[in-house]
Amino acid sequence: MVALAGCGGGTAGPEPSAQPSVTDGGRTSAAATPEASASGSGVGLSGTALGTSQIGHSANMRLVANVPLGAPFNLRQAWGTDLAFQGDYVFTGNYEGFTIHDVSDPTRPKVVSRVLCPGGQNDISVTGNLLFLSVDDPRADDSCESRPGDVVNGWEGIRIFDISDKANPKYVKSVATKCGSHTHTLVPGKGDDKDKVYLYVSSYGPMPEAANCKPPHDSIAIVEVPLDAPEKAKVVAQPVLFPDGGLAEGEGGGETVETSGCHDITVYPEKDLAAGACLGNGILMDISDPVRPKVLQEVTDTENFSIWHWAIFDNDARHVIFGDELGGGIAPTCDRRTGPTRGANAIYEITEDRRLVRRGFFKIPREQTPRENCVSHNGSLIPVPGRTILVQAWYQGGVSVIDFTDAANPKEIGYFERGPIPASEGDLGGSWSAYYYNGYIYSSDITKGLDVIEINDPLTDPAKNVRLTEFNPQTQTSYPAS
């Protein structure tokens, strides 16, 4: 998720002042024909060998469908962002709003609706009849018709939609959060709170002049959402995660980002654990009380990591993988000069006393051209019993499938990528997020739209037996161990 977005502040009204503009509404289906590779099959082609938009892939992966960005998301910076899943639907965030796709036939996905509601990044999650969007881009107000606002007094935070009618989503409520919401993570309530969900809101970048984003900002916001009364959603806690301030400015050198909040948090409710990627720090948290998360350990790596961007646990919660978004997502860091441990993944073992010990690194072995922004980005586990296999986005480095079962010696076992994007599409492109859901890999390509990718491999084929009814990748659930 492109780092270093602007932050501002504001207050939310009791309810949204305008409904979103909804198009398509199930009346039309987007084209879903895979792009042709200029080389024919494209098998074995990758990196610097690929021409503009040319497709290359490993023999065990292939593109089965593509849904391009369509109106109103056909503007130059209508970038596709994160994904969430429910039943036969895929929900795709976009800087201009979000799209709901019907993937009951993954080889022929259909657009059900496109909702125009601008606000970067529109990080997305779903549960039941509710959809949540993160806004980390100051707006003049909280409505879907708002224009960009000023960084001092602009509105930022969470927007909540009712998606009971997928063809006509309704905007229900907004909640302002300090420094906005770069990303958020859905945490299901349990026990007496099972009729609620909580959103861990990650944001950063405080400014002294901002009305609602003053330093220090070493905390997250926790939004409580009653499932049967989402209009009552509110911030119920603002826990400080770094009472000592975390990594200080300049402490790690010129490319290391100081800790000023978190970028992304992944929770594993069954294990009462969360892993936070908080710019200068990686953290492990106890979330047995979801409103009072407790930091168990902090780690820093000023030699190898620039921006602690995202995290994921293995199925047993014995390891956690952190990703470094060196260059903020806009730099070409998949090259020999940058090396194999920067802009990469770091694998940490979680010891019996819940300490973090680094065991290895992974970076895609396919060198990219200087025209391609490429760095570690969002991914999820492929639910293979007894193994730790991850599918992951690398922007213009494409989609990589990696076996982390041997934490000290991870290896890529499959990939899909395109060559550099055309100059007409700008400088930012490639896969923002790549996740495995019910037998297929879904990739949100920033400029190309939704890709559906099939992988057929003896190592990953057992995952086809695991079926989910809802999937928010930053909210991990376990899969069978054997």
Side-chain angles (χ1 to χ4, degrees):
M1 296 166 186
V2 179
L4 310 180
C7 288
T11 57
E15 59 185 36
S17 54
Q19 286 294 333
S21 171
V22 181
T23 63
D24 288 289
R27 293 183 295 275
T28 61
S29 298
T33 302
E35 297 175 43
S37 169
S39 66
S41 70
V43 174
L45 286 179
S46 68
T48 56
L50 291 170
T52 301
S53 295
Q54 185 181 14
I55 287 177
H57 59 95
S58 55
N60 57 357
M61 292 175 65
R62 68 185 184 99
L63 181 68
V64 298
N66 169 262
V67 184
L69 297 173
F73 302 157
N74 53 356
L75 305 174
R76 172 98 177 217
Q77 294 185 354
W79 294 322
T81 60
D82 212 6
L83 299 168
F85 305 83
Q86 186 181 80
D88 289 332
Y89 298 96
V90 176
F91 304 81
T92 309
N94 187 285
Y95 272 69
E96 295 296 317
F98 65 93
T99 300
I100 301 178
H101 301 88
D102 180 340
V103 293
S104 52
D105 179 353
T107 67
R108 298 183 61 83
K110 299 177 181 179
V111 172
V112 178
S113 56
R114 296 190 195 271
V115 178
L116 182 62
C117 195
Q121 311 171 150
N122 280 330
D123 191 65
I124 194 167
S125 68
V126 297
T127 188
N129 290 326
L130 299 179
L131 178 147
F132 307 100
L133 291 180
S134 282
V135 179
D136 191 26
D137 175 15
R139 310 298 300 176
D141 56 58
D142 65 346
S143 75
C144 285
E145 296 179 348
S146 65
R147 292 189 173 276
D150 69 84
V151 296
V152 175
N153 296 302
W155 179 88
E156 298 174 280
I158 296 289
R159 289 172 172 152
I160 304 174
F161 289 79
D162 183 326
I163 54 169
S164 52
D165 180 355
K166 301 295 188 294
N168 292 285
K170 301 296 183 185
Y171 186 7
V172 175
K173 170 73 173 179
S174 70
V175 180
T177 55
K178 290 184 178 180
C179 296
S181 176
H182 196 65
T183 64
H184 70 269
T185 303
L186 190 150
V187 185
K190 53 187 178 182
D192 293 341
D193 292 329
K194 64 183 179 181
D195 59 346
K196 301 174 182 176
V197 295
Y198 298 94
L199 306 179
Y200 284 5
V201 176
S202 296
S203 58
Y204 54 91
M207 297 182 297
E209 66 272 22
N212 201 27
C213 189
K214 295 183 182 298
H217 180 65
D218 296 324
S219 61
I220 59 172
I222 300 179
V223 177
E224 177 187 272
V225 184
L227 294 175
D228 59 353
E231 69 279 1
K232 296 181 180 179
K234 61 183 179 181
V235 175
V236 294
Q238 188 82 31
V240 174
L241 303 181
F242 302 98
D244 63 351
L247 189 73
E249 182 178 5
E251 185 175 341
E255 290 187 328
T256 301
V257 177
E258 67 175 311
T259 303
S260 61
C262 292
H263 189 289
D264 215 315
I265 294 172
T266 292
V267 298
Y268 201 160
E270 295 171 55
K271 308 291 186 180
D272 287 331
L273 287 174
C278 302
L279 302 188
N281 294 61
I283 60 174
L284 183 69
M285 292 186 286
D286 181 327
I287 59 167
S288 52
D289 182 345
V291 182
R292 297 173 182 83
K294 178 182 178 182
V295 176
L296 299 172
Q297 190 186 8
E298 304 175 28
V299 289
T300 61
D301 181 354
T302 57
E303 178 182 356
N304 298 294
F305 264 46
S306 171
I307 301 172
W308 293 71
H309 170 271
W310 72 283
I312 190 170
F313 294 95
D314 64 7
N315 190 48
D316 296 327
R318 294 178 180 173
H319 296 84
V320 60
I321 303 167
F322 289 100
D324 170 30
E325 196 182 39
L326 174 68
I330 59 176
T333 71
C334 296
D335 57 16
R336 274 173 252 176
R337 179 182 61 83
T338 304
T341 64
R342 299 171 66 245
N345 297 325
I347 307 97
Y348 284 79
E349 180 185 354
I350 303 173
T351 64
E352 289 187 5
D353 59 349
R354 289 187 162 182
R355 309 296 289 174
L356 294 173
V357 180
R358 193 179 69 208
R359 295 303 184 201
F361 288 97
F362 174 84
K363 190 172 183 180
I364 57 172
R366 295 167 287 107
E367 183 174 359
Q368 305 297 304
T369 72
R371 291 182 52 205
E372 295 174 285
N373 60 301
C374 177
V375 76
S376 168
H377 219 233
N378 299 340
S380 74
L381 296 180
I382 296 180
V384 178
R387 303 194 73 86
T388 300
I389 298 180
L390 179 73
V391 58
Q392 184 182 359
W394 290 78
Y395 286 117
Q396 288 198 72
V399 174
S400 178
V401 176
I402 311 137
D403 189 343
F404 285 96
T405 306
D406 180 352
N409 297 285
K411 59 182 180 180
E412 182 175 77
I413 61 174
Y415 71 88
F416 166 85
E417 66 166 301
R418 292 181 174 90
I421 61 174
S424 61
E425 294 180 9
D427 298 319
L428 178 66
S431 179
W432 180 289
S433 299
Y435 304 125
Y436 186 91
Y437 180 70
N438 293 350
Y440 290 84
I441 294 167
Y442 294 87
S443 168
S444 174
D445 188 286
I446 295 169
T447 62
K448 305 292 188 184
L450 179 69
D451 286 329
V452 185
I453 301 165
E454 185 177 39
I455 180 167
N456 291 296
D457 189 282
L459 282 176
T460 61
D461 285 348
K464 296 177 181 180
N465 297 319
V466 178
R467 311 298 292 182
L468 301 176
T469 57
E470 192 169 276
F471 181 43
N472 295 292
Q474 286 73 43
T475 306
Q476 283 190 239
T477 57
S478 64
Y479 53 84
S482 59

